[in-house]
Amino acid sequence: MTALRRITPAERRARLARRHLLAPSARARTPEQVAEALIGLHATDPATVFLAAAARMHAPTVPAIEAALYDEPVPALARIRCMRRTMFVTPAGLAPTLRAATSRSAHRNRGDVVRRLRDAVGWDEARYAAAEQQALTALAEHGALTSAGLAAAVPALRQQIVTYPGKPYESRQRVCAHVIGVLAEEGRIRRARPAGSWTSAQFRWTLARPLPHLPAADSMTALARHYLAAYGPATAADLKWWTGWSLTNTRKAIAATGAEAVELDEGTGYLLPDDNHIPAPTNPWVALLPGLDSTPMGWRHRDWYLDGAHTKALFDRNGNIGPTIWADGRIVGAWAQHTDGHINHTLLTDPGQEARTAIEAETARLAAFLGGTRVTPAYRTPLERHLATTA
């Protein structure tokens, strides 16, 4: 039996610098190039999209990123729910594949919402369909509306229901939120510019061109190929975790790509056939990445770029990573924006004088991008909270 080629952590880190546009020589010129390199930018926290793109661009500006997200008639980037039912900003051309490969059927989601509203407020399918059509009509008339604006325009959407009754996290929600969720899931509406600044999560909604329906199996193979091109070598467990697929579907998708098996520290990994070569070394580099960045959230197994002793400080209880400092392919520290506005950081290991000097330069670069904007991560970690409040 032929032994598998072993790929060392150092070789994996060399790939990371170029593929994820982290080395200065690899940085992109447009937000679209960043999203394409990473397949998508985590978008649960709106600020992550801008900070993740800025970290990887030669000359990032907020207007350039906003243009890619919101310019009409069809933005270059699409904000959709896909991997693990998480919000991502992806290249518009890739959005149909991601939706087909990762989303449960829109019909099933619609049925769940109709049943929920029937049990909560007595709506039947006819009343739901009428309210939905009124919502679409209001958007056609107004162009773009926030959720509150849509509820104001359509009285039926103001009705409230109790979610998770009897639970500690019980809350009241407008029917509007559930109708919007289904319409967005089906691709009939999309998020437009937020009501506030680029850090705001209060989006306006507007009509959208529905995404074409693609075969699920073919789309899963395509997504597995994109993932291995961007994140390979990776294990089946990595891809399963990243996509939210079953292990059976993950293995089928990997096999359909024709990927070749290689040996990693954590077990068998996979590379695309045209990718099984030793990358050239890169010059030393550093990067300041935001919370929920796609790079550290790209693998289940992280020992090759993260000391396990630092996990508790860098992640919250749900596995969401905070802002991190990278040097030559490893996480070496963390950063946060202090309450007075400046960028505060700490090192968890000494990367050397050259890297420390580069970190100071990247910190200044980030501060210049932020200008006077204050950013607080949506998911806060112990170390980020400490840095945000400690001199």
Side-chain angles (χ1 to χ4, degrees):
M1 183 175 179
T2 304
L4 300 180
R5 180 167 91 80
R6 172 168 166 73
I7 296 185
T8 65
E11 183 177 332
R12 298 179 76 177
R13 292 193 289 269
R15 293 172 182 271
L16 182 68
R18 291 188 177 86
R19 291 187 176 176
H20 288 213
L21 312 179
L22 294 170
S25 60
R27 285 176 181 159
R29 299 196 177 277
T30 68
E32 300 94 300
Q33 291 170 337
V34 176
E36 184 176 358
L38 297 170
I39 302 177
L41 306 175
H42 274 264
T44 304
D45 184 341
T48 293
V49 176
F50 287 79
L51 297 176
R56 296 171 170 88
M57 291 173 63
H58 285 292
T61 66
V62 168
I65 300 170
E66 287 181 322
L69 285 165
Y70 306 123
D71 269 8
E72 300 290 351
V74 181
L77 299 177
R79 192 185 301 264
I80 64 170
R81 197 177 301 278
C82 44
M83 284 73 74
R84 299 190 314 281
R85 293 191 59 75
T86 299
M87 196 65 64
F88 279 80
V89 162
T90 74
L94 188 57
T97 296
L98 298 184
R99 187 185 293 278
T102 61
S103 297
R104 67 179 186 171
S105 71
H107 176 75
R108 177 183 168 190
N109 187 44
R110 171 181 289 273
D112 287 348
V113 170
V114 170
R115 284 189 292 273
R116 189 178 305 128
L117 297 184
R118 178 196 63 201
D119 296 341
V121 290
W123 281 25
D124 58 15
E125 290 190 18
R127 185 169 184 186
Y128 178 90
E132 182 180 66
Q133 185 55 53
Q134 290 168 11
L136 293 172
T137 300
L139 290 176
E141 292 176 352
H142 294 276
L145 291 169
T146 63
S147 177
L150 192 56
V154 181
L157 299 182
R158 301 174 204 164
Q159 192 166 357
Q160 294 189 338
I161 65 172
V162 177
T163 60
Y164 305 105
K167 302 291 185 181
Y169 41 88
E170 175 183 314
S171 65
R172 297 185 68 83
Q173 286 185 346
R174 287 194 185 105
V175 168
C176 186
H178 299 274
V179 175
I180 284 175
V182 172
L183 290 172
E185 182 83 16
E186 295 175 350
R188 298 166 72 187
I189 64 174
R190 62 175 175 82
R191 288 168 175 81
R193 288 182 181 271
S197 74
W198 57 269
T199 65
S200 173
Q202 188 181 9
F203 289 97
R204 296 180 176 90
W205 295 91
T206 190
L207 298 178
R209 299 177 182 177
L211 298 177
H213 294 286
L214 301 178
D218 292 346
S219 297
M220 292 173 77
T221 300
L223 179 53
R225 187 176 294 112
H226 279 289
Y227 175 81
L228 291 176
Y231 294 87
T235 66
D238 290 325
L239 180 56
K240 174 183 180 295
W241 176 85
W242 187 79
T243 56
W245 293 340
S246 69
L247 183 58
T248 297
N249 285 339
T250 302
R251 287 171 172 166
K252 286 181 179 178
I254 291 174
T257 68
E260 299 176 356
V262 294
E263 181 187 348
L264 305 175
D265 282 359
E266 62 267 31
T268 302
Y270 298 91
L271 275 175
L272 295 178
D274 59 354
D275 192 31
N276 201 349
H277 59 272
I278 298 175
T282 57
N283 292 327
W285 60 271
V286 302
L288 272 63
L289 301 185
L292 291 180
D293 187 86
S294 295
T295 294
M297 296 295 289
W299 297 268
R300 181 174 180 271
H301 298 288
R302 300 174 173 129
D303 288 349
W304 58 278
Y305 66 85
L306 173 64
D307 186 332
H310 302 148
T311 299
K312 188 174 181 180
L314 295 173
F315 289 80
D316 70 9
R317 294 179 180 179
N318 295 317
N320 301 306
I321 196 166
T324 51
I325 300 174
W326 293 65
D328 300 329
R330 290 190 63 83
I331 295 177
V332 299
W335 65 272
Q337 190 173 26
H338 193 269
T339 52
D340 67 9
H342 84 272
I343 305 299
N344 207 5
H345 76 266
T346 189
L347 296 177
L348 301 171
T349 186
D350 186 0
Q353 181 58 51
E354 183 178 2
R356 291 198 300 272
T357 300
I359 289 168
E360 294 294 341
E362 282 299 302
T363 299
R365 183 173 179 265
L366 173 60
F369 175 79
L370 288 171
T373 302
R374 287 285 290 112
V375 175
T376 301
Y379 300 98
R380 307 198 68 181
T381 59
L383 188 49
E384 185 275 329
R385 287 181 181 274
H386 174 74
L387 291 172
T389 56
T390 303

